[in-house]
Amino acid sequence: MVRVLSGAWRAVAMSIVLGMAAVAATAFGAPGDLDVSGFNAADPVVTNRGKALARPGRSAMTPDAARGVARQADGKLLVAGSCSGLVTTKLCVVRFDANGTPDLTFNPDATQGGLQPDLQAGELIIEITPSQSLFAMVAVQSDQKIIVAGTCSNLTSGYFDFCIVRLHPDASVDTSFNAAGVTPGVATVAPGNFYNVARGLMLQPDGKIVIVGSCGATIVATAMCISRHNTNGTLDASFNPGGAVPGTRIETIGNSNDSYATSVARQSDGKLVVAGSCVHNSNNEFCLFRLSDTGALDSAGFGASGKVITAVNSDEDTINAVVIQADGKIVVAGACSSGGVYSSNGATKFCVARYATNGTLDTAGFNAAAPLVADRGKLMFAFDSDYDGVNAAFVQPDGKLMLAGRCRADPMTGTGVFCSARLLSDGGLDATWGAAGKAIEPNFANQRDLTFAALLQPDGDLVFAGDCFRGAPDAFCVARFTGGPVVPPACALNVDGNGFVDPATDGVLIIRYLLGFRGSALTTGALGGSPARTGTTLETWIAGLNLDADGDGGGARATSDGLLLLRAMLGLTGSALTQGATNAPSATRNAADIVTWIQQAHGAGCLPTS
């Protein structure tokens, strides 16, 4: 029989763990501090610790521009953007080990030829992309192949297209991606007839690739647009199949000719929320629309005919991030201005809005105590300057909202610093993060650290990526800030880590794992909304769980233990829980014992309360 800790001993164990966490926080920095002891900690230049730089382009005049960051299952960090080499500008990627040092196993033969002969191992310029290629974003598939997406010039049309490259983990081009295309390994698409600029990238749980951005509907009108690609790089013709270009969709929002998408999130039901900004009544506003999994506008279920427009400040409101909470609510964040975003003509602040699943502002749950009714459901706040804004947002497993951005940003002087904030679920600032909920890395050499992307690690650490100036044209810059305290989910059986125990996702993942499924066969269609664990990280999590529910001592089996756990998550008890599912006569737990064991071994929040 499996022996479990009593409640008193579990409390003692938890106090020890929390005490150790407090010691670690004291030794290695408080939540929100630059991780100078764990990231690039051996750099001989003390002021570089906590950050790491790379300059793949080597141009003496033109900066390298980082626009994306992603984390592999082994903790290595990928930073992507555009780099100006000796001849032209191309999409490029660098990879760092988890400790912030260059990963020399990435593109290990970098110095052998190419347009940039002094390229170093750990750096990659993707020379096969069409002509001028700009502003790469990056994501990692469950098999650890790397997706790099950006904007590439089209010499035939004279405009720009969305473009995607897939790399093997060692940085070599995966020529099985869009294998029948002009350049195997590279896929391009033009949703609009004119300038198509990619701004957001997302991988669906089924491996399909989604890109959003702005597209030229006409030579003078820019619209929000989206493309979806199959795992082999071809356009997904099942997405908006009746459109002018199946696999893509262009959507105009607002009463002007200017709208663009910056980010996209997928709900647990497969619907896609596309977020950005549009000009409406002469002002830039928050703008969103929602599509079904097949690309149809959700006209009946979301906002006004599938679209939502929200005014936050008096002039320019720009969404830079959208996330879906475990309860399905939609959070958008960005920069809101009373006189021009990041300009010297007004004040720009962090700003956030939260919507119910139908697109109405969550006025009762988010910033609900705001004195002005018109401010409820929305939030704006500044740091210590007139130039602050969010570029990335994340929902932690405990429901808190993490915001990463730039402060003291002024395009006239090219300044900026990394900064972040953490909110409670009701929109209040979380006093355990930084100073009263805000953290800023001021005057790090010269206040020329410009944030463009960020990610939240499973341990709660926050990673920034962007451009940093250190006495030469801007370089790629990645920095890590100490996370925590992050309260883990109440139930360890929330295996995808999204904070919501769901038999249709977590239960299915456990059974598939016990059946021997791994990689995409394990996760396809079985991840909940906003999963914190995917790929190898998810597999490692499940492997660490005691899943012997019937207590037969013979290890966990899908047809007995997995089925018992799934039934318990569904709320079944008594014979409905155990009939045909226990490994008799070796089982040592009856139905009531199994329920008690799940609560003691994995957490009280694993089972439905009614």
Side-chain angles (χ1 to χ4, degrees), residues 462-480:
L462 186 63
V463 177
F464 282 74
D467 307 345
C468 294
F469 180 85
R470 296 294 181 271
D474 288 5
F476 278 14
C477 183
V478 58
R480 190 166 70 199

Side-chain angles (χ1 to χ4, degrees), residues 197-240:
V197 179
R199 297 172 183 261
L201 167 67
M202 182 193 71
L203 298 185
Q204 294 190 169
D206 60 4
K208 291 183 178 180
I209 304 161
V210 178
I211 302 176
V212 298
S214 59
C215 296
T218 69
I219 193 65
V220 295
T222 300
M224 300 171 76
C225 58
I226 180 172
S227 69
R228 190 167 75 185
H229 304 256
N230 295 312
T231 56
N232 64 2
T234 59
L235 275 172
D236 177 11
S238 70
F239 184 78
N240 194 28

